[in-house]
Amino acid sequence: MAASLEELEQRLSHLRTELRGAVRARDKAETARIRRALREAEAAWEHALETEAEPNDEAFPVRLPAPQTSATTGAPCRTERPTHGSIPIREQVHQALTLLGAPAAPKLISSAYEAFFTESLVATKLASLRRDEERSFTAQGYARPYYICAALTHDRLVPARGLLALSTWPVERRIIGPLSPRADFLTHAVGTAEQIQRLTAAGHPAPDAAWRLLRRFALTIPGAYDAAAPEPDPARVIAAAHAEAAVHQQEDDQQRQAAAQRARTQLADVQQLFGAAPMRDALRDASGTLS
Amino acid sequence: MPSQQSEPPDNRLARLRGPQPPQPYTARKITALTANPACARRAVLDAAGVDKALLAQRVGYEPRFGQSPFALAREQAFHGLVKWGSYAELIRLLREQLSVPVAEAHVTDLNEVGGNTALHLRERETRRLITHVASGQDVRLILDRPVLTLEVAGQTAYLEPDALTHRIGGKFHVVLIRSFAAIDGQANPTAVAEAAKQAAVYVLALHHAFETAGLPTEQISHEFLLVCPKDFSNRPYGRLIDLRQELDALQFQLSRLRRAEDLAAQLPETATLDTARSADELSSSIEALDASYTPSCLSFCEMARYCRDEADGCASPARLGSGVRNDLPGIDSTRTALDYLDGVAAPGEAEAEAAARLRAAARLRRLRQGAA
């Protein structure tokens, strides 16, 4: 799809910049890692281009383990783990969020990342990430292909408590209305189930942690869990999550669009990404609540 | 100090506390206070927001009391679990056990308002939302950590229930999340009773909010939803528990609570409860406040061991439990009771009946010993 192709292209250019820096710095290990990532991203881009017309291709940009990719490169993602610990944390969050598909709390981000990448991502490290990203954006806006930014509350457009999002998502996707937490939760469930399906289709059985995560989702979505089956069925989870999401969709979309409209007209660029300033005094509260 | 005397009594309490920051009123404190409404000591200490654990330590009674860090961590972990994934488990519970329709999934997080965590802001936002929901302008399934206020002993207490839910039979329910297990649907009755008392405090506060907003209080349920781990797993399990009895008891006891300010006003001008002052000064101020010690105090009050030693010293019958205290009406010391039995002293008119019963009991006891 166009969005994911764009994302991949941004990522490619970002990687090239990084590569240039690493070569200049004569950091061999880092150069090798970036080259590998670059090759993967290129393969993923090729694949995304080929399958552009196909639906259901919220392609996971970096380590897309689709059959073609693993066949052509001959090195499936699993074997490329010597880079342990060297992936920057924002990169890890980006991967987890792309997989989940909606604003998420640090805890969920870390458990999703750890489930699929068998590398650790300490949730407490994410605490300062949003502020760092905001600082970087204010210093030189749009210098990076993406930023880890905030989800915005629908009423006051301030950053929603404890949620991280991606700057490449439209504002609508980052608005949190009364129904949005549930809608986003269902999106997370679908994202997790789809990633498991993708891995299975590519011939790499998903790690146990991923199944545990899916089971947790399945248990709390009506009709998604079959008590007789030992493991939840991703297709069933997706169907059940879609069924419930359809119930909420209309009202949620309306609220998101109205709030996004307001955000675009009222907020500066940096505020659209990182939220309006938090409320301080009581007077502003009184005027803000009645809007 | 004439100028200080004319200050509002609120400041009197603040002066008693000294420069230390006040400790907030919590539902736990209110239930403790209503469990022993005659205790002026606790009423004043809580109203002044004194750190009782520190105070007990300062006067030489290291409290072997307080919540274990392990229990707290467990409680927090279970809270996190119930609220994981946008309250997914709580929503499931409401749907499966209380037949909430699937379309209802509106939630609002009241842990902060517009990035601000000030209690009064959260309280106002809670009131606004409750008004909207109660009058049907808005829908919410779950309000996470709303803030309610309640007038206790002349002081405003800010209370934070774990959650409020609106959609069980169209009524507001208080939700309490506790980490003691319900095994086969049976939980530890003491723990449940404690939770019910705290829930009653929240329900009363909710009534208060409705009354100030001019809303019909019939919308508030007299039941609360208790969420605890099911069996030996970590899966949340919920039950509605009737609160009418606790509500009546609490209301009655709150109305009986004397105003803490009035109690504090009776203290000598030099009294202080400032934990930075010397132990002697503190002890004399604490002694000036009447305590009403019962053995059950040991399970909820930091000052209990201090009061117990005091009760030991003056041989108070309540030291032996409320049963003994009730059997000895009007007799304020076990020494006096023994004197009546031994004939050293003659009971007055008011104590005659109790003394007669004591004698009868003593005779029966002698008979039994003789038989054996």
Side-chain angles (χ1 to χ4, degrees), chain A residues 210-239:
Chain A
W211 286 106
R212 276 200 297 276
L213 188 64
L214 185 68
R215 184 158 179 274
R216 238 179 137 181
F217 278 115
L219 282 170
T220 50
I221 300 172
Y225 190 66
D226 180 8
E231 264 167 356
D233 172 16
R236 187 169 169 168
V237 174
I238 294 174

PDB file of all heavy atoms in Angstrom, chain A residues 210-239:
ATOM      1  N   ALA A 210       4.411 -14.713  21.629  1.00  0.00           N
ATOM      2  CA  ALA A 210       3.427 -14.108  20.735  1.00  0.00           C
ATOM      3  C   ALA A 210       2.066 -14.783  20.901  1.00  0.00           C
ATOM      4  O   ALA A 210       1.030 -14.123  20.921  1.00  0.00           O
ATOM      5  CB  ALA A 210       3.907 -14.213  19.292  1.00  0.00           C
ATOM      6  N   TRP A 211       2.092 -16.099  21.035  1.00  0.00           N
ATOM      7  CA  TRP A 211       0.836 -16.820  21.250  1.00  0.00           C
ATOM      8  C   TRP A 211       0.213 -16.434  22.573  1.00  0.00           C
ATOM      9  O   TRP A 211      -1.003 -16.300  22.694  1.00  0.00           O
ATOM     10  CB  TRP A 211       1.066 -18.330  21.207  1.00  0.00           C
ATOM     11  CG  TRP A 211       1.289 -18.837  19.814  1.00  0.00           C
ATOM     12  CD1 TRP A 211       2.466 -19.240  19.272  1.00  0.00           C
ATOM     13  CD2 TRP A 211       0.299 -18.995  18.789  1.00  0.00           C
ATOM     14  NE1 TRP A 211       2.278 -19.625  17.975  1.00  0.00           N
ATOM     15  CE2 TRP A 211       0.961 -19.491  17.653  1.00  0.00           C
ATOM     16  CE3 TRP A 211      -1.066 -18.744  18.732  1.00  0.00           C
ATOM     17  CZ2 TRP A 211       0.293 -19.751  16.454  1.00  0.00           C
ATOM     18  CZ3 TRP A 211      -1.729 -19.006  17.537  1.00  0.00           C
ATOM     19  CH2 TRP A 211      -1.054 -19.497  16.414  1.00  0.00           C
ATOM     20  N   ARG A 212       1.057 -16.248  23.580  1.00  0.00           N
ATOM     21  CA  ARG A 212       0.522 -15.842  24.888  1.00  0.00           C
ATOM     22  C   ARG A 212      -0.160 -14.480  24.792  1.00  0.00           C
ATOM     23  O   ARG A 212      -1.227 -14.262  25.359  1.00  0.00           O
ATOM     24  CB  ARG A 212       1.652 -15.788  25.923  1.00  0.00           C
ATOM     25  CG  ARG A 212       1.972 -17.133  26.548  1.00  0.00           C
ATOM     26  CD  ARG A 212       2.722 -16.968  27.856  1.00  0.00           C
ATOM     27  NE  ARG A 212       4.014 -16.332  27.696  1.00  0.00           N
ATOM     28  CZ  ARG A 212       5.124 -16.987  27.356  1.00  0.00           C
ATOM     29  NH1 ARG A 212       5.087 -18.288  27.145  1.00  0.00           N
ATOM     30  NH2 ARG A 212       6.266 -16.345  27.217  1.00  0.00           N
ATOM     31  N   LEU A 213       0.488 -13.592  24.044  1.00  0.00           N
ATOM     32  CA  LEU A 213      -0.086 -12.263  23.875  1.00  0.00           C
ATOM     33  C   LEU A 213      -1.430 -12.367  23.165  1.00  0.00           C
ATOM     34  O   LEU A 213      -2.423 -11.755  23.567  1.00  0.00           O
ATOM     35  CB  LEU A 213       0.893 -11.392  23.072  1.00  0.00           C
ATOM     36  CG  LEU A 213       0.549  -9.916  22.945  1.00  0.00           C
ATOM     37  CD1 LEU A 213       0.574  -9.245  24.303  1.00  0.00           C
ATOM     38  CD2 LEU A 213       1.522  -9.218  22.007  1.00  0.00           C
ATOM     39  N   LEU A 214      -1.459 -13.176  22.130  1.00  0.00           N
ATOM     40  CA  LEU A 214      -2.704 -13.331  21.366  1.00  0.00           C
ATOM     41  C   LEU A 214      -3.789 -13.925  22.254  1.00  0.00           C
ATOM     42  O   LEU A 214      -4.957 -13.531  22.188  1.00  0.00           O
ATOM     43  CB  LEU A 214      -2.468 -14.231  20.148  1.00  0.00           C
ATOM     44  CG  LEU A 214      -3.683 -14.341  19.227  1.00  0.00           C
ATOM     45  CD1 LEU A 214      -3.946 -13.018  18.546  1.00  0.00           C
ATOM     46  CD2 LEU A 214      -3.511 -15.431  18.197  1.00  0.00           C
ATOM     47  N   ARG A 215      -3.397 -14.853  23.098  1.00  0.00           N
ATOM     48  CA  ARG A 215      -4.371 -15.509  23.976  1.00  0.00           C
ATOM     49  C   ARG A 215      -4.984 -14.487  24.934  1.00  0.00           C
ATOM     50  O   ARG A 215      -6.177 -14.471  25.183  1.00  0.00           O
ATOM     51  CB  ARG A 215      -3.661 -16.612  24.766  1.00  0.00           C
ATOM     52  CG  ARG A 215      -4.572 -17.426  25.624  1.00  0.00           C
ATOM     53  CD  ARG A 215      -3.965 -18.774  25.939  1.00  0.00           C
ATOM     54  NE  ARG A 215      -4.877 -19.513  26.792  1.00  0.00           N
ATOM     55  CZ  ARG A 215      -4.887 -19.398  28.113  1.00  0.00           C
ATOM     56  NH1 ARG A 215      -4.030 -18.592  28.705  1.00  0.00           N
ATOM     57  NH2 ARG A 215      -5.749 -20.074  28.824  1.00  0.00           N
ATOM     58  N   ARG A 216      -4.140 -13.589  25.399  1.00  0.00           N
ATOM     59  CA  ARG A 216      -4.623 -12.546  26.292  1.00  0.00           C
ATOM     60  C   ARG A 216      -5.646 -11.655  25.599  1.00  0.00           C
ATOM     61  O   ARG A 216      -6.647 -11.265  26.186  1.00  0.00           O
ATOM     62  CB  ARG A 216      -3.427 -11.688  26.714  1.00  0.00           C
ATOM     63  CG  ARG A 216      -3.263 -11.670  28.211  1.00  0.00           C
ATOM     64  CD  ARG A 216      -2.091 -10.860  28.630  1.00  0.00           C
ATOM     65  NE  ARG A 216      -2.475 -10.048  29.771  1.00  0.00           N
ATOM     66  CZ  ARG A 216      -1.668  -9.205  30.365  1.00  0.00           C
ATOM     67  NH1 ARG A 216      -0.450  -9.043  29.932  1.00  0.00           N
ATOM     68  NH2 ARG A 216      -2.081  -8.503  31.397  1.00  0.00           N
ATOM     69  N   PHE A 217      -5.342 -11.336  24.333  1.00  0.00           N
ATOM     70  CA  PHE A 217      -6.305 -10.541  23.572  1.00  0.00           C
ATOM     71  C   PHE A 217      -7.595 -11.334  23.390  1.00  0.00           C
ATOM     72  O   PHE A 217      -8.691 -10.825  23.595  1.00  0.00           O
ATOM     73  CB  PHE A 217      -5.729 -10.204  22.191  1.00  0.00           C
ATOM     74  CG  PHE A 217      -4.801  -9.027  22.200  1.00  0.00           C
ATOM     75  CD1 PHE A 217      -3.459  -9.173  21.907  1.00  0.00           C
ATOM     76  CD2 PHE A 217      -5.272  -7.759  22.478  1.00  0.00           C
ATOM     77  CE1 PHE A 217      -2.605  -8.089  21.904  1.00  0.00           C
ATOM     78  CE2 PHE A 217      -4.432  -6.667  22.475  1.00  0.00           C
ATOM     79  CZ  PHE A 217      -3.087  -6.834  22.184  1.00  0.00           C
ATOM     80  N   ALA A 218      -7.425 -12.614  22.982  1.00  0.00           N
ATOM     81  CA  ALA A 218      -8.582 -13.414  22.613  1.00  0.00           C
ATOM     82  C   ALA A 218      -9.541 -13.581  23.795  1.00  0.00           C
ATOM     83  O   ALA A 218     -10.754 -13.560  23.620  1.00  0.00           O
ATOM     84  CB  ALA A 218      -8.122 -14.777  22.122  1.00  0.00           C
ATOM     85  N   LEU A 219      -8.981 -13.720  24.982  1.00  0.00           N
ATOM     86  CA  LEU A 219      -9.826 -13.962  26.157  1.00  0.00           C
ATOM     87  C   LEU A 219     -10.752 -12.796  26.460  1.00  0.00           C
ATOM     88  O   LEU A 219     -11.754 -12.959  27.138  1.00  0.00           O
ATOM     89  CB  LEU A 219      -8.940 -14.229  27.373  1.00  0.00           C
ATOM     90  CG  LEU A 219      -8.342 -15.627  27.459  1.00  0.00           C
ATOM     91  CD1 LEU A 219      -7.313 -15.680  28.557  1.00  0.00           C
ATOM     92  CD2 LEU A 219      -9.427 -16.653  27.715  1.00  0.00           C
ATOM     93  N   THR A 220     -10.407 -11.612  25.999  1.00  0.00           N
ATOM     94  CA  THR A 220     -11.192 -10.449  26.373  1.00  0.00           C
ATOM     95  C   THR A 220     -12.013  -9.887  25.217  1.00  0.00           C
ATOM     96  O   THR A 220     -12.603  -8.833  25.351  1.00  0.00           O
ATOM     97  CB  THR A 220     -10.287  -9.343  26.921  1.00  0.00           C
ATOM     98  OG1 THR A 220      -9.226  -9.141  26.002  1.00  0.00           O
ATOM     99  CG2 THR A 220      -9.708  -9.722  28.259  1.00  0.00           C
ATOM    100  N   ILE A 221     -12.036 -10.586  24.093  1.00  0.00           N
ATOM    101  CA  ILE A 221     -12.875 -10.130  22.980  1.00  0.00           C
ATOM    102  C   ILE A 221     -13.990 -11.153  22.813  1.00  0.00           C
ATOM    103  O   ILE A 221     -13.720 -12.347  22.737  1.00  0.00           O
ATOM    104  CB  ILE A 221     -12.054 -10.003  21.683  1.00  0.00           C
ATOM    105  CG1 ILE A 221     -10.931  -9.004  21.884  1.00  0.00           C
ATOM    106  CG2 ILE A 221     -12.951  -9.580  20.528  1.00  0.00           C
ATOM    107  CD1 ILE A 221      -9.954  -8.946  20.765  1.00  0.00           C
ATOM    108  N   PRO A 222     -15.256 -10.700  22.793  1.00  0.00           N
ATOM    109  CA  PRO A 222     -16.339 -11.670  22.728  1.00  0.00           C
ATOM    110  C   PRO A 222     -16.249 -12.539  21.468  1.00  0.00           C
ATOM    111  O   PRO A 222     -16.067 -12.024  20.367  1.00  0.00           O
ATOM    112  CB  PRO A 222     -17.610 -10.813  22.722  1.00  0.00           C
ATOM    113  CG  PRO A 222     -17.179  -9.404  22.672  1.00  0.00           C
ATOM    114  CD  PRO A 222     -15.722  -9.319  22.889  1.00  0.00           C
ATOM    115  N   GLY A 223     -16.329 -13.831  21.652  1.00  0.00           N
ATOM    116  CA  GLY A 223     -16.358 -14.761  20.533  1.00  0.00           C
ATOM    117  C   GLY A 223     -15.007 -15.030  19.911  1.00  0.00           C
ATOM    118  O   GLY A 223     -14.923 -15.646  18.853  1.00  0.00           O
ATOM    119  N   ALA A 224     -13.928 -14.568  20.541  1.00  0.00           N
ATOM    120  CA  ALA A 224     -12.623 -14.752  19.919  1.00  0.00           C
ATOM    121  C   ALA A 224     -11.912 -15.993  20.431  1.00  0.00           C
ATOM    122  O   ALA A 224     -10.890 -16.394  19.893  1.00  0.00           O
ATOM    123  CB  ALA A 224     -11.749 -13.530  20.178  1.00  0.00           C
ATOM    124  N   TYR A 225     -12.471 -16.596  21.462  1.00  0.00           N
ATOM    125  CA  TYR A 225     -11.724 -17.661  22.121  1.00  0.00           C
ATOM    126  C   TYR A 225     -12.559 -18.920  22.201  1.00  0.00           C
ATOM    127  O   TYR A 225     -13.723 -18.884  22.586  1.00  0.00           O
ATOM    128  CB  TYR A 225     -11.341 -17.201  23.537  1.00  0.00           C
ATOM    129  CG  TYR A 225     -10.378 -18.127  24.213  1.00  0.00           C
ATOM    130  CD1 TYR A 225      -9.093 -18.277  23.729  1.00  0.00           C
ATOM    131  CD2 TYR A 225     -10.756 -18.849  25.338  1.00  0.00           C
ATOM    132  CE1 TYR A 225      -8.199 -19.120  24.353  1.00  0.00           C
ATOM    133  CE2 TYR A 225      -9.870 -19.699  25.968  1.00  0.00           C
ATOM    134  CZ  TYR A 225      -8.578 -19.825  25.462  1.00  0.00           C
ATOM    135  OH  TYR A 225      -7.686 -20.655  26.081  1.00  0.00           O
ATOM    136  N   ASP A 226     -11.936 -20.006  21.820  1.00  0.00           N
ATOM    137  CA  ASP A 226     -12.595 -21.297  21.914  1.00  0.00           C
ATOM    138  C   ASP A 226     -11.944 -22.057  23.065  1.00  0.00           C
ATOM    139  O   ASP A 226     -10.772 -22.408  22.988  1.00  0.00           O
ATOM    140  CB  ASP A 226     -12.429 -22.044  20.587  1.00  0.00           C
ATOM    141  CG  ASP A 226     -13.104 -23.397  20.643  1.00  0.00           C
ATOM    142  OD1 ASP A 226     -13.807 -23.663  21.629  1.00  0.00           O
ATOM    143  OD2 ASP A 226     -12.911 -24.174  19.689  1.00  0.00           O
ATOM    144  N   ALA A 227     -12.715 -22.272  24.112  1.00  0.00           N
ATOM    145  CA  ALA A 227     -12.132 -22.861  25.317  1.00  0.00           C
ATOM    146  C   ALA A 227     -11.570 -24.255  25.053  1.00  0.00           C
ATOM    147  O   ALA A 227     -10.667 -24.706  25.753  1.00  0.00           O
ATOM    148  CB  ALA A 227     -13.182 -22.918  26.418  1.00  0.00           C
ATOM    149  N   ALA A 228     -12.098 -24.947  24.030  1.00  0.00           N
ATOM    150  CA  ALA A 228     -11.659 -26.310  23.767  1.00  0.00           C
ATOM    151  C   ALA A 228     -10.284 -26.335  23.093  1.00  0.00           C
ATOM    152  O   ALA A 228      -9.514 -27.270  23.272  1.00  0.00           O
ATOM    153  CB  ALA A 228     -12.685 -27.016  22.895  1.00  0.00           C
ATOM    154  N   ALA A 229      -9.979 -25.285  22.308  1.00  0.00           N
ATOM    155  CA  ALA A 229      -8.728 -25.289  21.555  1.00  0.00           C
ATOM    156  C   ALA A 229      -7.568 -24.928  22.469  1.00  0.00           C
ATOM    157  O   ALA A 229      -7.717 -24.090  23.360  1.00  0.00           O
ATOM    158  CB  ALA A 229      -8.808 -24.296  20.404  1.00  0.00           C
ATOM    159  N   PRO A 230      -6.415 -25.553  22.280  1.00  0.00           N
ATOM    160  CA  PRO A 230      -5.274 -25.246  23.139  1.00  0.00           C
ATOM    161  C   PRO A 230      -4.727 -23.843  22.886  1.00  0.00           C
ATOM    162  O   PRO A 230      -4.251 -23.187  23.804  1.00  0.00           O
ATOM    163  CB  PRO A 230      -4.246 -26.314  22.769  1.00  0.00           C
ATOM    164  CG  PRO A 230      -4.624 -26.774  21.407  1.00  0.00           C
ATOM    165  CD  PRO A 230      -6.107 -26.597  21.282  1.00  0.00           C
ATOM    166  N   GLU A 231      -4.778 -23.427  21.640  1.00  0.00           N
ATOM    167  CA  GLU A 231      -4.257 -22.108  21.317  1.00  0.00           C
ATOM    168  C   GLU A 231      -5.296 -21.323  20.526  1.00  0.00           C
ATOM    169  O   GLU A 231      -6.071 -21.899  19.777  1.00  0.00           O
ATOM    170  CB  GLU A 231      -2.973 -22.240  20.484  1.00  0.00           C
ATOM    171  CG  GLU A 231      -1.758 -22.155  21.357  1.00  0.00           C
ATOM    172  CD  GLU A 231      -0.497 -22.577  20.648  1.00  0.00           C
ATOM    173  OE1 GLU A 231      -0.583 -23.018  19.487  1.00  0.00           O
ATOM    174  OE2 GLU A 231       0.562 -22.460  21.265  1.00  0.00           O
ATOM    175  N   PRO A 232      -5.325 -20.017  20.689  1.00  0.00           N
ATOM    176  CA  PRO A 232      -6.325 -19.236  19.953  1.00  0.00           C
ATOM    177  C   PRO A 232      -6.043 -19.255  18.456  1.00  0.00           C
ATOM    178  O   PRO A 232      -4.893 -19.397  18.025  1.00  0.00           O
ATOM    179  CB  PRO A 232      -6.163 -17.838  20.531  1.00  0.00           C
ATOM    180  CG  PRO A 232      -4.788 -17.803  21.092  1.00  0.00           C
ATOM    181  CD  PRO A 232      -4.474 -19.181  21.527  1.00  0.00           C
ATOM    182  N   ASP A 233      -7.101 -19.111  17.699  1.00  0.00           N
ATOM    183  CA  ASP A 233      -6.968 -19.130  16.252  1.00  0.00           C
ATOM    184  C   ASP A 233      -6.889 -17.681  15.760  1.00  0.00           C
ATOM    185  O   ASP A 233      -7.829 -16.911  15.958  1.00  0.00           O
ATOM    186  CB  ASP A 233      -8.198 -19.838  15.668  1.00  0.00           C
ATOM    187  CG  ASP A 233      -8.230 -19.720  14.155  1.00  0.00           C
ATOM    188  OD1 ASP A 233      -7.187 -19.370  13.574  1.00  0.00           O
ATOM    189  OD2 ASP A 233      -9.294 -19.971  13.581  1.00  0.00           O
ATOM    190  N   PRO A 234      -5.759 -17.279  15.135  1.00  0.00           N
ATOM    191  CA  PRO A 234      -5.622 -15.873  14.724  1.00  0.00           C
ATOM    192  C   PRO A 234      -6.789 -15.397  13.858  1.00  0.00           C
ATOM    193  O   PRO A 234      -7.274 -14.282  14.046  1.00  0.00           O
ATOM    194  CB  PRO A 234      -4.315 -15.862  13.940  1.00  0.00           C
ATOM    195  CG  PRO A 234      -3.556 -17.037  14.406  1.00  0.00           C
ATOM    196  CD  PRO A 234      -4.557 -18.058  14.836  1.00  0.00           C
ATOM    197  N   ALA A 235      -7.240 -16.257  12.934  1.00  0.00           N
ATOM    198  CA  ALA A 235      -8.317 -15.827  12.030  1.00  0.00           C
ATOM    199  C   ALA A 235      -9.580 -15.516  12.831  1.00  0.00           C
ATOM    200  O   ALA A 235     -10.282 -14.543  12.561  1.00  0.00           O
ATOM    201  CB  ALA A 235      -8.592 -16.923  11.003  1.00  0.00           C
ATOM    202  N   ARG A 236      -9.825 -16.354  13.834  1.00  0.00           N
ATOM    203  CA  ARG A 236     -11.017 -16.144  14.648  1.00  0.00           C
ATOM    204  C   ARG A 236     -10.912 -14.856  15.467  1.00  0.00           C
ATOM    205  O   ARG A 236     -11.885 -14.104  15.609  1.00  0.00           O
ATOM    206  CB  ARG A 236     -11.174 -17.351  15.579  1.00  0.00           C
ATOM    207  CG  ARG A 236     -12.460 -17.299  16.343  1.00  0.00           C
ATOM    208  CD  ARG A 236     -12.720 -18.604  17.033  1.00  0.00           C
ATOM    209  NE  ARG A 236     -13.827 -18.426  17.954  1.00  0.00           N
ATOM    210  CZ  ARG A 236     -14.453 -19.413  18.546  1.00  0.00           C
ATOM    211  NH1 ARG A 236     -14.097 -20.662  18.306  1.00  0.00           N
ATOM    212  NH2 ARG A 236     -15.443 -19.174  19.368  1.00  0.00           N
ATOM    213  N   VAL A 237      -9.707 -14.603  15.986  1.00  0.00           N
ATOM    214  CA  VAL A 237      -9.502 -13.364  16.749  1.00  0.00           C
ATOM    215  C   VAL A 237      -9.745 -12.161  15.858  1.00  0.00           C
ATOM    216  O   VAL A 237     -10.435 -11.203  16.242  1.00  0.00           O
ATOM    217  CB  VAL A 237      -8.078 -13.318  17.337  1.00  0.00           C
ATOM    218  CG1 VAL A 237      -7.805 -11.980  17.994  1.00  0.00           C
ATOM    219  CG2 VAL A 237      -7.879 -14.443  18.334  1.00  0.00           C
ATOM    220  N   ILE A 238      -9.192 -12.240  14.625  1.00  0.00           N
ATOM    221  CA  ILE A 238      -9.355 -11.108  13.711  1.00  0.00           C
ATOM    222  C   ILE A 238     -10.833 -10.881  13.422  1.00  0.00           C
ATOM    223  O   ILE A 238     -11.331  -9.748  13.474  1.00  0.00           O
ATOM    224  CB  ILE A 238      -8.564 -11.363  12.404  1.00  0.00           C
ATOM    225  CG1 ILE A 238      -7.064 -11.377  12.723  1.00  0.00           C
ATOM    226  CG2 ILE A 238      -8.877 -10.305  11.369  1.00  0.00           C
ATOM    227  CD1 ILE A 238      -6.188 -11.760  11.548  1.00  0.00           C
ATOM    228  N   ALA A 239     -11.549 -11.967  13.140  1.00  0.00           N
ATOM    229  CA  ALA A 239     -12.970 -11.835  12.800  1.00  0.00           C
ATOM    230  C   ALA A 239     -13.745 -11.244  13.971  1.00  0.00           C
ATOM    231  O   ALA A 239     -14.554 -10.319  13.802  1.00  0.00           O
ATOM    232  CB  ALA A 239     -13.535 -13.201  12.423  1.00  0.00           C
TER     233      ALA A 239
END
